[in-house]
Every structure is written in C-alpha cells, then in structure tokens.
C-alpha cells in the first residue's frame, strides 16, 4: 500500500514502495491481457489530465488506466482552458479542487511545478514529467518491463545512452535502478552528459564501453526543445558516434533488452533494424505503461494520505 499523497519522483520513493507498485502492476497486466476490466475500484472518483507539454503515451495511458478502473477522466486542454487567459497553476489547481477532482496528472516544462501544485491542492498529484527533473511513471513502467524479462535487478548491467543532461526519464530511472541494485552506465556526447556523475553512477562518452556486456540498453531522444544552444555538430555526427545499430549491439549480451521511452527518432538513437529486432521491447513498454498507471491510480486512492 502507498501512504503518499502524491507521486512526484523516484528520488523520494522507497525500494518497498517501488516494489509494491510493480507487484500491483503485474495484477493489472493480467487483467488487461484477460480483458477483465470491469472491477471499477475507482468508481465515483475523478481524474484530470493537465498537460502543459505534448504527450501521446503518458496522457493516453493515464486516461485509459483511469477508465479501466471505473473513474471519470477529463483532459484539461491547456489551449482551450483558462490557462490561456493567464490563470496561474495554483489557481487552476484550486479550481479543480473545488470541483472535487481526486487526482491531477500533470506535465509541465518547469522543474518542480508538480511539487508546487501538490502543496497547494487537496487532490493527489501525479508528476507526468517536469522539465529535465523526473518522469516517475515512465521509469516505473521501464522497471516493470526489465523485471518482467530479467526477473531481478541486482547486478544487472544497464546502459542509458543519449541526451542524459536533459532527460527526466534518465534521472528517474537512475534513482529507481540504483535503489534496486542495478549497475548503471550513462553515455552520450560529453556536452549531453554534463554533471551526470552527480547522480552517482558511471558516465562515459564511449558508447562501446557503455554497451559492453550490458543486459539492457535504453536509448534516449535528443531533446532539442530543452537545449538553449545545439550541443553537438549535427544529427549525422550523433548517429555516427552514438547511434545504436546491429554492429554496435554485438558488444552487448545476446539477450540484451532494447528499450526507449518514445517517441523514437528512427535512424538516430537506434537503427530501424534494432527497433524491429527480437531484442526490442519498445512496444511492450507502451503496453506496460497502462498497467503501471492503473496500479498507481489504484494505490493512491486506496492508501494515499490526503492533506
Ligand atoms: N515517454 C513519454 O513520456 O511519451 P509521451 O511524451 O508520448 O507521453
């Protein structure tokens, strides 16, 4: 059971809390696979998705997860809401509180925005990505996928490759994987792994060194939208030195898992051949995202402390 009011990041989540979410997600995945989606644990509850940045996977999977549990789910389209008239985040949150919304799922380009909202509303707040800080539900679905295939985390060699400096997915995964005992290496152009050693894991600008004997290779998109200046000469250079193709993948273990949070830039982070290979679980990650989000919604409503 989760005793938290909000899900803001994996930095402040315990190993036991992570494991309990993964266990409930396993039950939810069975329900999805069996088409058994009529349990309605969240009947009478309401969820709002509040996305100040674009999303396909996270917003849709939260909406589906809520509906599969019997909740009412409403998307607050930012461009058509009163946010476009200048209403502040806190006033928007307090307005939703007055309507009796139980859970607000929020994505925002500013680090800490969900934390501010959480302090000012009665509703549970779930961080669906805040700037370059955290994306906890993505990391949880990644952890679920890794556990499903590898059955353990202790000593597992995980290489995370790409734009580490701007990646909330990398940060949340590092916090979670470290708690669970994995051996993590972060790799990318030196301009995109700046200060990554502060996360307390190995870093390198040599992709082969990162991939050698790895159990999991997680690619990350170059986040041009968060870069004030372009941090490397161009995409073709990136592909040449950091793009993962079949040849480079020979350095990893034969049963390496190929992962990516999406959206993927085909031919940049991974070649299409790698994306379509038997080692790729990129589409399975998306499916697992619904199960993880069902688990989080259920656990928050059942056990989360309100203010
Ligand atoms: N991985 C992820 O957060 O994807 P979306 O931006 O499509 O939600």
């Amino acid at each position: 059971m989760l005793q938290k009011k909000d899900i803001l990041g994996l930095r402040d989540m315990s190993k036991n809390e992570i494991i309990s979410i993964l266990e409930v997600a396993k039950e939810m995945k069975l329900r999805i696979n069996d088409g058994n989606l009529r349990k309605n644990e969240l009947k009478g509850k309401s969820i709002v998705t509040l996305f100040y940045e674009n999303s396909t996977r996270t917003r849709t999977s939260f909406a589906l997860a809520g509906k599969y549990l019997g909740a009412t789910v409403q998307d607050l389209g930012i461009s058509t809401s009163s946010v476009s008239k200048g209403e502040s985040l806190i006033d928007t949150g307090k307005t939703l509180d007055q309507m009796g919304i139980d859970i607000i799922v929020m994505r925002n380009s500013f680090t800490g925005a969900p934390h501010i909202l959480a302090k000012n509303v009665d509703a549970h707040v779930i961080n669906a990505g805040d700037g370059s800080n955290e994306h906890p539900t993505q990391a949880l679905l990644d952890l679920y996928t890794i556990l499903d295939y590898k059955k353990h985390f202790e000593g597992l060699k995980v290489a995370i490759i790409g734009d580490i400096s701007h990646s909330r997915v990398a940060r949340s995964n590092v916090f979670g994987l470290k708690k669970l005992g994995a051996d993590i290496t972060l790799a990318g152009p030196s301009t995109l792994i700046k200060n990554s050693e502060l996360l307390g894991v190995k870093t390198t600008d040599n992709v082969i060194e990162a991939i050698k004997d790895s159990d999991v290779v997680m690619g990350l998109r170059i986040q041009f939208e968060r870069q004030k200046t372009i941090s490397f000469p161009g995409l073709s250079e990136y592909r040449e030195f950091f793009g993962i193709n079949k040849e480079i993948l020979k350095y990893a273990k034969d049963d390496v898992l190929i992962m990516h949070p999406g959206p993927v830039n085909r031919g940049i982070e991974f070649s299409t051949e790698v994306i379509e290979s038997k080692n790729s679980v990129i589409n399975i990650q998306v499916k697992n995202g619904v199960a993880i989000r069902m688990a989080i919604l259920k656990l928050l409503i059942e056990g989360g402390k309100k203010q």
Side-chain angles (χ1 to χ4, degrees):
M1 184 177 285
L2 277 184
Q3 296 295 332
K4 291 174 154 2
K5 172 183 169 282
D6 311 293
I7 302 285
L8 300 176
L10 293 202
R11 191 211 291 258
D12 64 359
M13 194 178 279
S14 71
K15 180 177 172 179
N16 283 344
E17 286 171 330
I18 293 172
I19 289 169
S20 64
I21 293 171
L22 301 185
E23 280 170 357
V24 176
K26 199 171 172 181
E27 287 170 39
M28 297 300 148
K29 179 91 183 271
L30 285 175
R31 276 198 212 176
I32 294 170
N33 285 344
D34 294 347
N36 177 15
L37 299 166
R38 293 173 194 269
K39 290 227 167 172
N40 286 341
E41 287 104 324
L42 265 57
K43 192 170 165 49
K45 302 294 178 187
S46 51
I47 300 166
V48 162
T49 53
L50 177 62
F51 278 56
Y52 292 81
E53 283 187 341
N54 294 342
S55 167
T56 297
R57 282 150 279 268
T58 314
R59 178 161 38 194
T60 309
S61 60
F62 264 114
L64 281 176
K67 286 173 187 165
Y68 287 166
L69 292 166
T72 301
V73 184
Q74 176 68 40
D75 182 55
L76 188 68
I78 294 299
S79 61
T80 53
S81 74
S82 288
V83 169
S84 67
K85 300 176 198 161
E87 190 161 51
S88 73
L89 173 60
I90 292 174
D91 286 340
T92 301
K94 286 184 184 299
T95 302
L96 295 174
D97 252 358
Q98 289 306 310
M99 295 180 199
I101 301 300
D102 295 287
I103 299 180
I104 301 172
V105 180
M106 188 178 91
R107 173 171 290 186
N108 197 288
S109 57
F110 290 100
T111 290
H115 305 68
I116 293 170
L117 182 67
K119 283 199 181 94
N120 284 281
V121 295
D122 290 333
H124 300 286
V125 174
I126 300 176
N127 180 4
D130 64 323
S132 301
N133 182 36
E134 285 227 40
H135 191 348
T137 64
Q138 176 68 45
L140 286 163
L141 77 87
D142 294 338
L143 295 175
Y144 179 90
T145 306
I146 293 171
L147 187 61
D148 199 24
Y149 281 88
K150 299 294 178 188
K151 309 300 176 202
H152 70 104
F153 289 104
E154 200 63 49
L156 212 61
K157 286 194 69 160
V158 181
I160 306 180
I161 296 163
D163 181 359
I164 309 291
S165 298
H166 300 97
S167 177
R168 53 197 179 204
V169 175
R171 284 170 60 82
S172 288
N173 265 293
V174 167
F175 295 136
L177 284 163
K178 269 177 76 175
K179 284 174 192 182
L180 296 163
D183 175 0
I184 308 159
T185 304
L186 304 176
S190 52
T191 47
L192 295 180
I193 53 170
K194 269 189 300 193
N195 299 326
S196 299
E197 71 285 356
L198 297 178
L199 292 168
V201 294
K202 285 171 276 184
T203 61
T204 177
D205 60 6
N206 182 328
V207 76
I208 292 175
E209 184 184 320
I211 282 188
K212 198 163 184 321
D213 297 326
S214 56
D215 298 285
V216 177
V217 172
M218 189 182 294
L220 299 173
R221 187 174 62 85
I222 306 295
Q223 305 206 22
F224 287 111
E225 70 272 28
R226 299 194 204 288
Q227 296 180 23
K228 291 188 182 69
T229 53
I230 299 302
S231 308
F232 52 92
L235 285 179
S236 56
E237 281 80 5
Y238 180 86
R239 179 172 39 228
E240 188 178 335
F241 292 105
F242 296 98
I244 312 293
N245 54 34
K246 278 276 191 188
E247 284 308 304
I248 291 184
L249 216 54
K250 284 183 183 155
Y251 289 91
K253 289 190 179 143
D254 287 343
D255 62 349
V256 65
L257 285 189
I258 298 298
M259 302 181 68
H260 194 297
V264 182
N265 293 304
R266 279 177 184 262
I268 308 293
E269 299 94 86
F270 291 133
S271 66
T272 289
E273 203 183 5
V274 168
I275 293 169
E276 306 296 346
S277 71
K278 65 176 176 29
N279 299 71
S280 171
V281 291
I282 296 170
N283 289 331
I284 308 285
Q285 285 173 266
V286 175
K287 184 168 185 179
N288 291 341
V290 180
I292 275 290
R293 285 156 183 144
M294 285 174 77
I296 290 168
L297 294 174
K298 177 173 150 62
L299 285 167
L300 266 190
I301 290 291
E302 285 178 357
K305 283 183 188 151
K306 283 223 175 182
Q307 281 175 334

